[in-house]
Amino acid sequence: DELDSDDPSLDEVVELHLTQNGLLEAISRLPEIQQDVLLMRFFEGLPIAETALILHRSEDAIKSLQRRGLQALRRKLTKKEKDHDQHG
């Protein structure tokens, strides 16, 4: 029976896709080095040490870039959500 399936519904798939697109769009608006750090850390799953080696930065610099990038991302996404709530 289709209703008993563990597969996500079409609505869930669309919502996930829109969320991922919104996230990628917000990331694309960050400074390039913050984009690189967030993509390597969270999309590729690289540890801080490896990210630091690849980007030729210290581990402390990677931690700082990650923190600032996540803070900026949070601001962008909450602003987008508020704008959507007001206009949607």
Side-chain angles (χ1 to χ4, degrees):
D1 186 67
E2 284 185 37
L3 295 177
D4 292 336
S5 173
D6 287 337
D7 293 338
S9 71
L10 180 58
D11 287 347
E12 290 169 328
V13 170
V14 169
E15 185 175 344
L16 177 61
H17 183 70
L18 292 173
T19 300
Q20 289 174 336
N21 283 346
L23 183 59
L24 290 173
E25 179 187 337
I27 289 172
S28 75
R29 295 171 186 253
L30 297 174
E32 188 173 350
I33 188 66
Q34 290 179 2
Q35 291 180 40
D36 291 343
V37 169
L38 294 181
L39 291 172
M40 287 180 180
R41 294 281 295 126
F42 299 107
F43 285 81
E44 296 177 28
L46 298 179
I48 287 174
E50 192 172 344
T51 303
L53 283 173
I54 292 169
L55 296 177
H56 306 288
R57 303 281 179 123
S58 70
E59 290 185 27
D60 285 341
I62 297 301
K63 291 175 188 176
S64 179
L65 287 162
Q66 177 179 309
R67 183 179 63 252
R68 288 197 313 264
L70 289 173
Q71 289 169 342
L73 202 54
R74 187 176 299 116
R75 284 192 303 272
K76 290 179 187 308
L77 292 173
T78 55
K79 180 185 183 313
K80 186 176 181 178
E81 191 174 289
K82 285 179 187 174
D83 290 348
H84 178 73
D85 288 346
Q86 290 174 357
H87 299 12

